Amino acid sequence: MKEPRIIVAMDFNSGEQALELAARLDPGLCRLKVGKELFTAAGPGLVEKLIHAGFDIFLDLKYHDIPNTVASACSVAAGMGVWMINVHALGGRKMLSAAREAITPGTAKLIAVTLLTSMDQDDLNDIGLQGSPEQIVSRLSLLTQDCGLDGVVCSALEVKSLRQLIAPDFNLVTPGIRPLDNSVDDQKRIATPSQAIQNGSDYLVIGRPITQAQEPLAALQRINQEIESLA
Ligand code: C5P
């Protein structure tokens, strides 16, 4: 069995809902993403239970603070036994390097968010960031790689151009994925699972198409079959 490339976004406001869904999924077929909402509601105890159930956990807390604080948080997160942790690349070189040094290589993967996909040119102008969103994403991806991190979160539509820019083993983790027969929800710039993988994405973050499906395991299996048939 190949390593799971689908990361299911557990966007719930209670640990009970997350555990209920996890019980219907298979750790051999997916990993799980615990973000700010669920972590604020249910904390490290829930993460421990999900790890105990056999799942690899992407702890999506997007740390952004002074280097010492981020490094300490990363060290505690890695100590919980999670598979992946993330920080904001806008925290800059010193913060990224401190986070990298805080995590023993070969334990948790450390990736960065470049620019939030909710930010457009007007938002960049407001905060005085020069360049287009695409230029800033490229620049922050290179900075992240230069600081020794394992990858970045990026839109499936940015994957192709980023792949030309960064090393083959630098992980690209992409949300905004919608199978063809699914509702788009509030996502704007989407790609199908096959498009994202063909463009060079390593891991797909998928929430509602799986979490809100009548049969979450069947939805997960369908997407896995779609991407495995590409290999
Ligand atoms: O339900 P859906 O598949 O849209 O969930 C996508 C997940 O990926 C959510 O947890 C969302 O917060 C996250 N995400 C995103 N777009 C980004 C970064 C993260 O949709 N640019």
Side-chain angles (χ1 to χ4, degrees):
M1 178 66 209
K2 294 181 195 141
E3 67 144 355
R5 296 176 78 171
I6 296 177
I7 305 173
V8 179
M10 305 293 267
D11 292 325
F12 298 116
N13 59 15
S14 80
E16 290 71 26
Q17 289 176 75
L19 289 170
E20 221 167 86
L21 177 67
R24 301 178 69 186
L25 297 173
D26 177 348
L29 298 182
C30 66
R31 296 175 154 113
L32 305 179
K33 178 170 89 71
V34 174
K36 289 189 169 99
E37 180 188 17
L38 182 57
F39 192 77
T40 302
L46 172 76
V47 173
E48 218 171 89
K49 284 184 189 153
L50 294 172
I51 293 174
H52 188 70
F55 289 96
D56 280 348
I57 304 299
F58 169 19
L59 190 64
D60 177 24
L61 296 181
K62 301 186 182 70
Y63 296 128
H64 189 176
D65 210 312
I66 58 170
N68 183 58
T69 301
V70 168
S72 306
C74 285
S75 168
V76 172
M80 284 164 57
V82 300
W83 165 72
M84 182 179 268
I85 300 168
N86 63 357
V87 296
H88 267 284
L90 280 169
R93 183 181 293 279
K94 290 194 197 74
M95 192 206 81
L96 292 170
S97 301
R100 171 71 286 167
E101 280 163 28
I103 298 175
T104 313
T107 60
K109 278 181 189 278
L110 177 63
I111 66 168
V113 173
T114 53
L115 198 60
L116 292 169
T117 46
S118 52
M119 302 208 46
D120 60 17
Q121 190 70 56
D122 288 341
D123 292 306
L124 299 186
N125 296 342
D126 277 345
I127 59 174
L129 265 185
Q130 286 189 356
S132 66
E134 295 73 26
Q135 286 167 330
I136 293 171
V137 167
S138 299
R139 193 187 175 95
L140 291 174
S141 298
L142 287 170
L143 174 66
T144 300
Q145 178 173 258
D146 201 39
C147 293
L149 276 70
D150 301 302
V152 289
V153 180
C154 66
S155 133
L157 305 177
E158 290 160 354
V159 166
K160 217 172 193 166
S161 56
L162 280 181
R163 267 282 158 243
Q164 324 274 317
L165 207 66
I166 41 96
D169 63 348
F170 192 68
N171 290 167
L172 298 178
V173 178
T174 54
I177 305 295
R178 285 296 177 271
L180 274 181
D181 55 351
N182 259 249
S183 136
V184 167
D185 301 312
D186 52 356
Q187 294 283 9
K188 294 212 172 72
R189 302 170 68 225
I190 55 168
T192 65
S194 313
Q195 282 165 345
I197 295 288
Q198 279 168 334
N199 285 348
S201 178
D202 295 291
Y203 299 106
L204 310 181
V205 175
I206 307 180
R208 289 160 288 182
I210 294 173
T211 61
Q212 304 303 314
Q214 287 287 337
E215 297 291 342
L217 182 61
L220 171 63
Q221 283 167 329
R222 270 196 302 277
I223 302 172
N224 263 330
Q225 276 156 10
E226 177 184 329
I227 58 181
E228 271 173 21
S229 67
L230 298 172

